[in-house]
Amino acid sequence: MNTRVEKAINDQIKKEASSSQFYLAMASWSENNGLNGTAKFLYAQSDEERFHMLKLVKFVNERGGRAIIPSIEQPPIEFDNLTKIFELLLEHEIMVTESINELVDICLQEKDYSTHNFVQWYVSEQLEEEASARSILDKLKLIDGDKGGMYMFDRDLEKATVLATPPADGGAQKA
Ligand code: OFO
């Protein structure tokens, strides 16, 4: 595997792992603050980021490279409030998008077209994740800290997560 591309993917593996830990910390904070629907959403986000990381690990190894499993920094324990959490999440996703764009660039410079093709999945995923964080932030701005509004927001996020989360068996067993 092209060494420059391999290094860039390994850097991305670390970013996906850090995202997963960061969102896990947000989920845990939400759960401890009575926001169970938000916690469910963020636990699912954390799982998704771990899946993004695993997909890269397997890709590198299958292509004859060596995936490096990184150590990651401890994420924050405390967050100011829900709006702050989703602002941080959006900021983080924008940083990840920039990093994916750099990876795309490196693939093109190195003429590694199959990795370029593989990375397109991440390009679309980032578009979706940024859009989702922006729409959640818009809702939080509308609610503006109103308690009833927050209750509904948390409940709606839980419903949306249940609908969006595939069953653990991937839907193999249908009732
Ligand atoms: Fe949204 O961070 Fe993964 O790709």
Side-chain angles (χ1 to χ4, degrees), residues 5-175:
V5 172
E6 182 178 348
K7 157 105 183 48
I9 298 187
N10 270 312
D11 290 346
Q12 192 62 37
I13 286 173
K14 182 164 184 167
K15 285 178 188 138
E16 302 293 342
S18 302
S19 307
S20 178
Q21 287 294 92
F22 195 21
Y23 302 163
L24 188 56
M26 292 173 175
S28 179
W29 181 91
S30 304
E31 194 165 49
N32 282 323
N33 284 278
L35 296 157
N36 291 337
T38 309
K40 199 171 252 180
F41 173 84
L42 290 165
Y43 279 127
Q45 284 300 117
S46 171
D47 284 348
E48 259 196 46
E49 297 301 344
R50 182 177 154 76
F51 169 71
H52 297 170
M53 175 197 67
L54 278 176
K55 204 170 152 76
L56 291 167
V57 167
K58 289 185 177 156
F59 180 79
V60 173
N61 289 339
E62 277 162 13
R63 298 276 314 277
R66 177 174 287 194
I68 298 165
I69 308 306
S71 62
I72 29 191
E73 276 167 36
Q74 185 182 331
I77 299 169
E78 282 301 333
F79 296 92
D80 294 344
N81 52 49
L82 219 45
T83 304
K84 190 69 200 166
I85 281 189
F86 283 99
E87 279 171 1
L88 287 170
L89 189 144
L90 176 59
E91 217 173 81
H92 191 82
E93 287 300 327
I94 292 171
M95 179 278 285
V96 172
T97 301
E98 280 166 11
S99 165
I100 294 287
N101 289 343
E102 271 168 40
L103 182 54
V104 169
D105 228 39
I106 291 170
C107 291
L108 287 176
Q109 284 168 27
E110 298 297 321
K111 298 192 174 15
D112 183 344
Y113 300 117
S114 57
T115 305
H116 178 268
N117 189 36
F118 167 78
V119 166
Q120 294 312 304
W121 183 86
Y122 287 83
V123 172
S124 335
E125 187 69 13
Q126 282 312 115
L127 274 177
E128 273 180 33
E129 289 188 341
E130 277 193 33
S132 145
R134 284 199 176 90
S135 99
I136 289 175
L137 267 176
D138 285 346
K139 285 189 188 109
L140 284 168
K141 274 180 201 144
L142 276 177
I143 293 164
D144 196 21
D146 173 74
K147 284 207 171 122
M150 291 300 270
Y151 173 80
M152 304 273 275
F153 168 87
D154 190 60
R155 207 193 48 181
D156 288 353
L157 208 47
E158 175 160 23
K159 274 195 209 148
T161 308
V162 171
L163 285 175
T165 311
D169 66 355
Q173 286 177 11
K174 294 216 169 82

